[in-house]
Amino acid sequence: TRRSSDLERIPKKLREAVEKRFGAQHYNRQNSALAIAIAKKLEIKDRVISQAILQFPGVAGRMQKIVNKRGLT
């Protein structure tokens, strides 16, 4: 079965920004959906939300490969 998208209920422009920035990364899509919902409650304009998503650099160290002597990944 196809999993329902976390982004189905948000405006197309914002959905496109999330898809461009994060692709199919499910956890980032979920985080984006929540961040968008909060921003909308705070009455932040879609243009500003979209720009923030596209410019978001990510969290340092998150999902980063760290080389080690033991060969652990």
Side-chain angles (χ1 to χ4, degrees), residues 63-73:
M63 306 302 286
Q64 178 182 2
K65 184 174 183 175
I66 300 173
V67 179
N68 61 78
K69 293 178 183 180
R70 296 182 181 182
L72 303 172
T73 57

Side-chain angles (χ1 to χ4, degrees), residues 5-7 10 13-36 48-60 62-63:
S5 171
D6 301 313
L7 304 174
I10 66 170
K13 182 176 182 177
L14 296 177
R15 187 171 56 247
E16 289 172 349
V18 171
E19 290 170 352
K20 182 176 181 179
R21 173 63 181 86
F22 298 113
Q25 298 173 343
H26 181 68
Y27 59 91
N28 279 326
R29 292 169 65 92
Q30 285 182 316
N31 292 341
S32 296
L34 180 58
I36 290 167
V48 175
I49 299 169
S50 179
Q51 288 174 346
I53 290 168
L54 292 170
Q55 295 173 1
F56 179 67
V59 178
R62 169 96 182 178
M63 306 302 286

